[in-house]
Amino acid sequence: MAGIAFGRFDDSFSIATLKAYVAEFISTLLFVFAGVGSAIAYAKVTSDAALDPSGLVAIAICHGLALFVAVAIGANISGGHVNPAVTFGLAVGGQITILTGIFYWIAQLAGSIAACYLLKVVTGGLAVPIHGVAAGVGAIQGVVFEIIITFALVYTVYATAADPKKGSLGTIAPIAIGFIVGANILAAGPFSGGSMNPARSFGPAVASGDFSGHWIYWVGPLIGGGLAGIIYPNVFMQHEHIPLTNQY
């Protein structure tokens, strides 16, 4: 069974882990800037804030590409989590300590907030869109959507990046992770918003001052990520593993 480890303060404040926190901040900032920026840009060029089919496809592609890059540039430093739900799922599976994971969360949330305020400045104060469930979709339905799609994301992270048996598959991990996020946004965007990432939802909520239904984008992703962190390591990673502070 994979074990959860709290960790030690000296490990969580080593030079390597401090660099990892900076890497998570930068990767999350770049991802959120591109992802949220794509939504703002689409609304501007169409003069319509409503999401239509072409907007959904454009935003899904942008998020997928941006996450591919964000994961790739952080992979050798922090593991390229770029998402509190991914960090949580990896902590549940014993791949990162709880203590270091908390600092990952802080870095990720700070990166998202910085990205959204930068967008407000460089767009001349245009509104930063927040995640929200669609009309006719209840909060519980939104949570279930987010559980399923975040499970798919974190399961993909385990299969392509965290599993010691991955071999050469690890070289395409950022692409696979970007692809599953893009695909999930296409499937869930019109219903739950397709977040899968509490940091991606948190920055816009802070910048806009609107936390309506924000809890959905913590509860759903954390449950989904946690389930993947329980299932994949305990079913498919049959080996003794010592949790590290900075790896998939």
Side-chain angles (χ1 to χ4, degrees), residues 59-146:
I59 291 169
I61 291 173
C62 182
H63 278 78
L65 293 175
L67 187 60
F68 159 46
V69 173
V71 171
I73 64 176
N76 293 332
I77 306 168
S78 65
H81 296 193
V82 201
N83 183 341
V86 170
T87 300
F88 181 69
L90 292 170
V92 168
Q95 305 298 302
I96 185 172
T97 65
I98 295 295
L99 185 58
T100 297
I102 290 171
F103 289 109
Y104 268 47
W105 276 27
I106 293 171
Q108 292 157 356
L109 296 176
S112 180
I113 293 170
C116 292
Y117 276 109
L118 283 171
L119 281 167
K120 290 190 72 170
V121 171
V122 299
T123 61
L126 291 179
V128 176
I130 65 169
H131 276 125
V133 296
V137 178
I140 299 303
Q141 292 169 305
V143 168
V144 173
F145 253 111
E146 292 296 320

Side-chain angles (χ1 to χ4, degrees), residues 113 130-131 201-218:
I113 293 170
I130 65 169
H131 276 125
S201 299
F202 186 73
V206 171
S208 67
D210 187 352
F211 286 85
S212 302
H214 182 67
W215 64 273
I216 293 170
Y217 305 103
W218 282 91

Side-chain angles (χ1 to χ4, degrees), residues 3-244:
I4 299 175
F6 180 77
R8 302 184 309 177
F9 280 94
D10 55 345
D11 288 334
S12 296
F13 288 98
S14 67
I15 296 299
T17 49
L18 292 175
K19 289 180 179 179
Y21 306 148
V22 174
E24 284 296 304
F25 173 85
I26 293 172
S27 287
T28 307
L29 186 155
L30 297 178
F31 167 64
V32 174
F33 188 91
V36 177
S38 70
I40 296 173
Y42 185 81
K44 181 175 176 60
V45 299
T46 60
S47 300
D48 185 1
L51 184 65
D52 61 19
S54 60
L56 175 63
V57 172
I59 291 169
I61 291 173
C62 182
H63 278 78
L65 293 175
L67 187 60
F68 159 46
V69 173
V71 171
I73 64 176
N76 293 332
I77 306 168
S78 65
H81 296 193
V82 201
N83 183 341
V86 170
T87 300
F88 181 69
L90 292 170
V92 168
Q95 305 298 302
I96 185 172
T97 65
I98 295 295
L99 185 58
T100 297
I102 290 171
F103 289 109
Y104 268 47
W105 276 27
I106 293 171
Q108 292 157 356
L109 296 176
S112 180
I113 293 170
C116 292
Y117 276 109
L118 283 171
L119 281 167
K120 290 190 72 170
V121 171
V122 299
T123 61
L126 291 179
V128 176
I130 65 169
H131 276 125
V133 296
V137 178
I140 299 303
Q141 292 169 305
V143 168
V144 173
F145 253 111
E146 292 296 320
I147 289 173
I148 295 169
I149 60 179
T150 309
F151 175 86
L153 167 60
V154 179
Y155 191 91
T156 300
V157 169
Y158 266 103
T160 62
D163 194 329
K165 303 187 299 295
K166 63 183 182 294
S168 60
L169 184 64
T171 60
I172 67 163
I175 299 175
I177 293 165
F179 277 8
I180 192 61
V181 164
N184 282 340
I185 290 174
L186 289 174
F191 302 99
S192 71
S195 173
M196 297 163 275
N197 186 336
R200 167 63 181 80
S201 299
F202 186 73
V206 171
S208 67
D210 187 352
F211 286 85
S212 302
H214 182 67
W215 64 273
I216 293 170
Y217 305 103
W218 282 91
V219 174
L222 291 182
I223 292 175
L227 286 173
I230 291 170
I231 293 171
Y232 193 97
N234 292 312
V235 175
F236 302 112
M237 291 169 61
Q238 302 295 331
H239 69 291
E240 293 297 323
H241 179 75
I242 300 173
L244 301 180

